[in-house]
Amino acid sequence: MKNSSHKHFVHRLLEIVQKFEDVPILVVGDLIVDRVIRGTVHRISPEAPVPVLDVHEQHQTPGGAGNVVCNLRALGARPSLVSVRGDDEAGDSIISDLNKNGVNISGVLTLPGRPTITKTRIIAHQQQLVRLDVEERADLPKSAAEQLIARIQDQLKTC
């Protein structure tokens, strides 16, 4: 009995996933660079009572709305993103990642002087030691908000 309900569940899940194929979906939200730095700690710094991390691995992935559009793309959808990024290395990097994933980024607004949201997790021995956030929390300038609204309205025509 359990096996047949499992098969039904899997069949139903596949039916749902197939409905995403080629569907244009608009995602509006924060574009975040998620970085992870992993390593090991074998000593405490002589300068301050803090662990010294020997870095073994570093990687980054799109986070926030960037993660959502990548997941939708993996399901076969045609996601479009409306968001804000900074005119910085982190912004360039996440746009490159989204392009590689086939995401429509024409709705992403670049704002000079505002950093791309970046969250860096420092992990040692499976334990997160600290998270470093780079983020501007002030409201967007009125002109930028108006541009985003226009981009949303434009993207909605095809999503």
Side-chain angles (χ1 to χ4, degrees):
M1 195 60 122
K2 219 177 196 182
N3 195 18
S4 69
S5 67
H6 175 73
K7 285 181 182 179
H8 175 73
F9 173 77
V10 170
H11 179 72
R12 180 71 182 120
L13 184 60
L14 288 173
E15 286 177 345
I16 292 169
V17 169
Q18 288 171 347
K19 290 182 180 182
F20 278 92
E21 190 66 35
D22 210 34
V23 173
I25 299 174
L26 177 61
V27 175
V28 180
D30 287 334
L31 186 56
I32 300 171
V33 175
D34 276 335
R35 290 188 173 141
V36 176
I37 300 173
R38 291 183 185 276
T40 55
V41 173
H42 299 291
R43 62 190 177 101
I44 301 298
S45 172
E47 299 141 356
V50 296
V52 175
L53 183 77
D54 292 327
V55 176
H56 301 299
E57 172 191 350
Q58 298 184 56
H59 71 273
Q60 70 179 39
T61 57
N67 183 31
V68 173
V69 293
C70 288
N71 289 336
L72 287 168
R73 187 70 191 112
L75 290 171
R78 286 186 295 119
S80 297
L81 177 63
V82 174
S83 190
V84 174
R85 61 159 277 199
D87 187 13
D88 53 15
E89 180 274 328
D92 294 343
S93 178
I94 197 165
I95 290 299
S96 175
D97 288 345
L98 295 173
N99 274 326
K100 288 176 192 170
N101 280 294
V103 173
N104 176 357
I105 50 138
S106 64
V108 176
L109 178 63
T110 301
L111 288 181
R114 188 176 185 106
T116 301
I117 299 171
T118 305
K119 299 184 183 291
T120 304
R121 291 159 183 84
I122 311 293
I123 299 172
H125 310 282
Q126 310 303 316
Q127 176 67 46
Q128 183 170 316
L129 300 178
V130 68
R131 189 176 91 182
L132 312 171
D133 288 1
V134 175
E135 179 176 11
E136 175 63 53
R137 288 187 171 82
D139 290 343
L140 292 174
K142 184 177 179 184
S143 63
E146 290 169 351
Q147 288 180 58
L148 286 175
I149 291 168
R151 290 175 187 217
I152 290 167
Q153 291 170 336
D154 184 55
Q155 294 289 331
L156 281 174
K157 296 173 186 171
T158 58
C159 291

Short mmCIF file of all heavy atoms in Angstrom, two decimals, residues 32-37 57-63 89-97 118-120:
data_model
loop_
_atom_site.label_atom_id
_atom_site.label_comp_id
_atom_site.label_asym_id
_atom_site.label_seq_id
_atom_site.Cartn_x
_atom_site.Cartn_y
_atom_site.Cartn_z
N ILE A 32 20.76 38.75 -4.42
CA ILE A 32 21.78 38.59 -3.38
C ILE A 32 22.87 37.64 -3.86
O ILE A 32 22.58 36.61 -4.47
CB ILE A 32 21.14 38.00 -2.09
CG1 ILE A 32 20.05 38.94 -1.57
CG2 ILE A 32 22.19 37.71 -1.02
CD1 ILE A 32 19.22 38.35 -0.44
N VAL A 33 24.11 37.99 -3.58
CA VAL A 33 25.23 37.08 -3.80
C VAL A 33 25.45 36.34 -2.49
O VAL A 33 25.72 36.96 -1.45
CB VAL A 33 26.51 37.83 -4.20
CG1 VAL A 33 27.68 36.87 -4.31
CG2 VAL A 33 26.31 38.60 -5.50
N ASP A 34 25.28 35.01 -2.51
CA ASP A 34 25.56 34.17 -1.34
C ASP A 34 26.95 33.58 -1.50
O ASP A 34 27.19 32.79 -2.42
CB ASP A 34 24.54 33.04 -1.21
CG ASP A 34 23.27 33.47 -0.52
OD1 ASP A 34 23.32 34.44 0.26
OD2 ASP A 34 22.23 32.84 -0.75
N ARG A 35 27.86 33.97 -0.61
CA ARG A 35 29.23 33.44 -0.64
C ARG A 35 29.46 32.57 0.57
O ARG A 35 28.98 32.86 1.67
CB ARG A 35 30.25 34.58 -0.64
CG ARG A 35 30.27 35.36 -1.92
CD ARG A 35 31.42 36.34 -1.97
NE ARG A 35 31.47 36.94 -3.28
CZ ARG A 35 31.75 38.21 -3.53
NH1 ARG A 35 32.04 39.01 -2.53
NH2 ARG A 35 31.77 38.66 -4.76
N VAL A 36 30.24 31.52 0.36
CA VAL A 36 30.62 30.63 1.46
C VAL A 36 32.13 30.46 1.42
O VAL A 36 32.70 30.18 0.37
CB VAL A 36 29.92 29.25 1.35
CG1 VAL A 36 30.40 28.32 2.43
CG2 VAL A 36 28.41 29.42 1.42
N ILE A 37 32.75 30.66 2.57
CA ILE A 37 34.18 30.40 2.73
C ILE A 37 34.30 29.33 3.80
O ILE A 37 33.85 29.52 4.93
CB ILE A 37 34.94 31.68 3.14
CG1 ILE A 37 34.75 32.76 2.06
CG2 ILE A 37 36.42 31.37 3.38
CD1 ILE A 37 35.32 34.12 2.45
N GLU A 57 38.09 26.23 0.76
CA GLU A 57 37.09 26.28 -0.31
C GLU A 57 36.34 27.60 -0.26
O GLU A 57 36.03 28.11 0.81
CB GLU A 57 36.10 25.12 -0.10
CG GLU A 57 34.90 25.14 -1.00
CD GLU A 57 33.83 24.13 -0.57
OE1 GLU A 57 34.07 23.29 0.31
OE2 GLU A 57 32.73 24.24 -1.12
N GLN A 58 36.08 28.15 -1.45
CA GLN A 58 35.26 29.35 -1.57
C GLN A 58 34.34 29.16 -2.77
O GLN A 58 34.79 28.69 -3.81
CB GLN A 58 36.12 30.59 -1.82
CG GLN A 58 37.08 30.92 -0.71
CD GLN A 58 37.83 32.21 -1.00
OE1 GLN A 58 37.23 33.25 -1.21
NE2 GLN A 58 39.15 32.12 -1.01
N HIS A 59 33.08 29.51 -2.60
CA HIS A 59 32.17 29.50 -3.74
C HIS A 59 31.03 30.48 -3.50
O HIS A 59 30.84 30.95 -2.39
CB HIS A 59 31.64 28.08 -4.03
CG HIS A 59 30.67 27.57 -3.01
ND1 HIS A 59 31.07 26.93 -1.88
CD2 HIS A 59 29.33 27.63 -2.95
CE1 HIS A 59 30.01 26.60 -1.16
NE2 HIS A 59 28.93 27.01 -1.77
N GLN A 60 30.34 30.80 -4.57
CA GLN A 60 29.20 31.69 -4.45
C GLN A 60 28.09 31.23 -5.38
O GLN A 60 28.35 30.57 -6.38
CB GLN A 60 29.58 33.12 -4.75
CG GLN A 60 29.92 33.41 -6.20
CD GLN A 60 30.26 34.86 -6.39
OE1 GLN A 60 30.92 35.47 -5.57
NE2 GLN A 60 29.81 35.43 -7.49
N THR A 61 26.89 31.58 -4.99
CA THR A 61 25.70 31.25 -5.78
C THR A 61 24.74 32.43 -5.71
O THR A 61 24.80 33.23 -4.78
CB THR A 61 24.98 30.00 -5.23
OG1 THR A 61 24.64 30.22 -3.86
CG2 THR A 61 25.85 28.76 -5.33
N PRO A 62 23.85 32.53 -6.70
CA PRO A 62 22.81 33.56 -6.60
C PRO A 62 21.90 33.25 -5.43
O PRO A 62 21.48 32.11 -5.22
CB PRO A 62 22.06 33.43 -7.93
CG PRO A 62 23.03 32.76 -8.86
CD PRO A 62 23.82 31.83 -7.99
N GLY A 63 21.60 34.26 -4.64
CA GLY A 63 20.69 34.11 -3.51
C GLY A 63 19.47 34.99 -3.68
O GLY A 63 19.38 35.77 -4.63
N GLU A 89 31.86 44.46 -8.55
CA GLU A 89 32.29 43.10 -8.92
C GLU A 89 31.24 42.07 -8.55
O GLU A 89 30.98 41.13 -9.30
CB GLU A 89 33.63 42.79 -8.24
CG GLU A 89 34.18 41.41 -8.55
CD GLU A 89 33.65 40.32 -7.61
OE1 GLU A 89 33.37 40.60 -6.44
OE2 GLU A 89 33.50 39.16 -8.09
N ALA A 90 30.62 42.22 -7.39
CA ALA A 90 29.59 41.26 -6.97
C ALA A 90 28.41 41.29 -7.93
O ALA A 90 27.87 40.24 -8.30
CB ALA A 90 29.13 41.56 -5.55
N GLY A 91 28.01 42.48 -8.37
CA GLY A 91 26.92 42.61 -9.33
C GLY A 91 27.27 41.98 -10.67
O GLY A 91 26.45 41.28 -11.28
N ASP A 92 28.50 42.23 -11.14
CA ASP A 92 28.95 41.63 -12.40
C ASP A 92 28.94 40.11 -12.29
O ASP A 92 28.51 39.41 -13.21
CB ASP A 92 30.37 42.09 -12.75
CG ASP A 92 30.46 43.57 -13.08
OD1 ASP A 92 29.41 44.21 -13.35
OD2 ASP A 92 31.59 44.10 -13.06
N SER A 93 29.40 39.61 -11.16
CA SER A 93 29.51 38.17 -10.96
C SER A 93 28.14 37.50 -10.96
O SER A 93 27.94 36.46 -11.60
CB SER A 93 30.24 37.92 -9.64
OG SER A 93 30.32 36.55 -9.38
N ILE A 94 27.18 38.07 -10.25
CA ILE A 94 25.86 37.43 -10.17
C ILE A 94 25.14 37.52 -11.51
O ILE A 94 24.44 36.60 -11.92
CB ILE A 94 25.01 38.00 -9.01
CG1 ILE A 94 23.85 37.04 -8.71
CG2 ILE A 94 24.51 39.38 -9.30
CD1 ILE A 94 23.17 37.28 -7.39
N ILE A 95 25.33 38.61 -12.25
CA ILE A 95 24.72 38.73 -13.57
C ILE A 95 25.32 37.67 -14.50
O ILE A 95 24.60 37.03 -15.28
CB ILE A 95 24.92 40.15 -14.14
CG1 ILE A 95 24.07 41.15 -13.36
CG2 ILE A 95 24.61 40.21 -15.64
CD1 ILE A 95 22.57 40.91 -13.39
N SER A 96 26.60 37.43 -14.39
CA SER A 96 27.24 36.37 -15.18
C SER A 96 26.64 35.00 -14.85
O SER A 96 26.33 34.21 -15.75
CB SER A 96 28.75 36.36 -14.92
OG SER A 96 29.38 35.30 -15.57
N ASP A 97 26.45 34.73 -13.55
CA ASP A 97 25.86 33.46 -13.12
C ASP A 97 24.44 33.31 -13.67
O ASP A 97 24.05 32.23 -14.13
CB ASP A 97 25.81 33.35 -11.60
CG ASP A 97 27.18 33.14 -10.96
OD1 ASP A 97 28.14 32.78 -11.69
OD2 ASP A 97 27.29 33.33 -9.74
N THR A 118 25.39 41.32 -0.62
CA THR A 118 26.28 40.16 -0.53
C THR A 118 26.27 39.64 0.90
O THR A 118 26.42 40.42 1.84
CB THR A 118 27.72 40.53 -0.94
OG1 THR A 118 27.70 41.12 -2.24
CG2 THR A 118 28.63 39.32 -0.94
N LYS A 119 26.07 38.34 1.03
CA LYS A 119 26.09 37.70 2.34
C LYS A 119 27.16 36.60 2.30
O LYS A 119 27.07 35.68 1.49
CB LYS A 119 24.72 37.11 2.68
CG LYS A 119 23.64 38.21 2.73
CD LYS A 119 22.32 37.71 3.14
CE LYS A 119 21.27 38.80 3.09
NZ LYS A 119 21.41 39.83 4.08
N THR A 120 28.17 36.77 3.13
CA THR A 120 29.30 35.84 3.16
C THR A 120 29.29 35.08 4.48
O THR A 120 29.33 35.69 5.55
CB THR A 120 30.64 36.58 3.00
OG1 THR A 120 30.61 37.35 1.80
CG2 THR A 120 31.81 35.60 2.96
#
